Amino acid sequence: MASNFDFLKVDLDTAELFSTANMAENNYTQKDYEGVLTKVRKVAENTAVLFADRAFIELPSHSTLHDKLQIIKHHINNKDIVDAFFEIKEHGNSSAHKLNPKDATKENALKSLKQVYMILVWFVTEYVDDQIKVSLYENFLEPKAQERYTTAERKFIYVQTVNNESGKFAAFEGAQKIGEGTVASDDIEADWTPNSDFLRSVAPKRIK
């Protein structure tokens, strides 16, 4: 599955955020919305620390995410970014500390992913690499689960003729029906040679 957060790999500091952000996307496809909210919160907190470092803002040691946000919000001239930080914090705290949190819904999980994406695009374009296209803001895609692995199949060609020993099918005598079918190829011991006993046994089950 392609990740919305591949652009984080442009810098060593932001590259460390990629793994957790990508895991949050995977949680979403698995309907683990609680996992999404807690991981997004981690990414947001670490982004806040990176921002403070790049903006030369001193944060108290052992400060909570709330403490960090109360300090850095005065240095961010974008209300949407500030609001996104605080909303991510609220949903993340609820998911981290409560059993069966009501916040852990598909809607909140998707919104949090979009919000942290917006925060990260803002941070990367403003403080890491201003050459990254601003159009990234419009490129977020809802994570989709990869198609599950399906058993590989092999195609076989068959030729059917009519047994007219009874004399009841004279009209079809000498006629041939040629077609194709498929059969699972996971049996490595199977004999796939033409007209083998294996093919003769499975073909009738797969021919319609």
Side-chain angles (χ1 to χ4, degrees):
M1 179 183 74
S3 173
N4 287 295
F5 301 99
D6 282 333
F7 66 93
L8 294 175
K9 299 174 184 178
V10 300
D11 182 81
L12 288 176
D13 287 334
T14 57
E16 293 184 353
L17 302 174
F18 172 77
S19 178
T20 303
N22 186 224
M23 283 192 289
E25 290 180 296
N26 290 331
N27 285 150
Y28 180 83
T29 65
Q30 297 160 8
K31 300 182 180 181
D32 177 10
Y33 305 129
E34 191 173 331
V36 174
L37 297 175
T38 54
K39 288 182 177 65
V40 165
R41 184 196 179 284
K42 287 182 182 180
V43 173
E45 180 162 15
N46 281 275
T47 305
V49 173
L50 286 176
F51 166 72
D53 180 65
R54 299 289 173 107
F56 305 103
I57 302 168
E58 186 174 350
L59 296 175
S61 58
H62 308 298
S63 56
T64 65
L65 175 55
H66 181 77
D67 295 334
K68 294 180 177 74
L69 296 182
Q70 289 295 338
I71 294 171
I72 69 172
K73 71 178 183 180
H74 301 293
H75 302 269
I76 300 175
N77 297 319
N78 186 323
K79 186 177 183 299
D80 290 337
I81 298 298
V82 173
D83 290 345
F85 266 120
F86 277 96
E87 189 167 350
I88 286 172
K89 175 185 73 74
E90 292 302 321
H91 289 317
N93 285 351
S94 176
S95 291
H97 301 299
K98 294 181 181 179
L99 293 174
N100 305 312
K102 294 181 180 179
D103 298 60
T105 64
K106 179 179 180 179
E107 292 73 23
N108 285 339
L110 182 58
K111 184 177 182 181
S112 288
L113 283 169
K114 289 179 178 178
Q115 287 175 321
V116 80
Y117 175 83
M118 178 180 68
I119 289 171
L120 289 166
V121 170
W122 162 79
F123 175 68
V124 170
T125 55
E126 293 291 330
Y127 295 93
V128 178
D129 188 346
D130 59 6
Q131 297 302 309
I132 292 181
K133 295 180 180 179
V134 178
S135 60
L136 267 176
Y137 279 107
E138 302 171 359
N139 286 353
F140 181 88
L141 297 174
E142 180 179 358
K144 300 290 185 183
Q146 289 181 314
E147 292 185 9
R148 292 184 178 179
Y149 171 79
T150 55
T151 302
E153 293 186 328
R154 290 183 65 172
K155 182 184 295 185
F156 63 86
I157 305 298
Y158 65 86
V159 179
Q160 283 184 319
T161 58
V162 174
N163 183 345
N164 192 35
E165 290 181 359
S166 66
K168 296 180 180 180
F169 304 103
F172 298 99
E173 190 166 4
Q176 294 181 328
K177 177 185 177 183
I178 301 175
E180 63 182 37
T182 59
V183 64
S185 63
D186 51 359
D187 186 352
I188 60 175
E189 301 296 330
D191 180 3
W192 287 88
T193 57
N195 211 34
S196 68
D197 290 340
F198 167 71
L199 287 177
R200 292 176 67 85
S201 67
V202 299
K205 303 174 185 177
R206 305 303 293 262
I207 298 173
K208 296 182 180 180

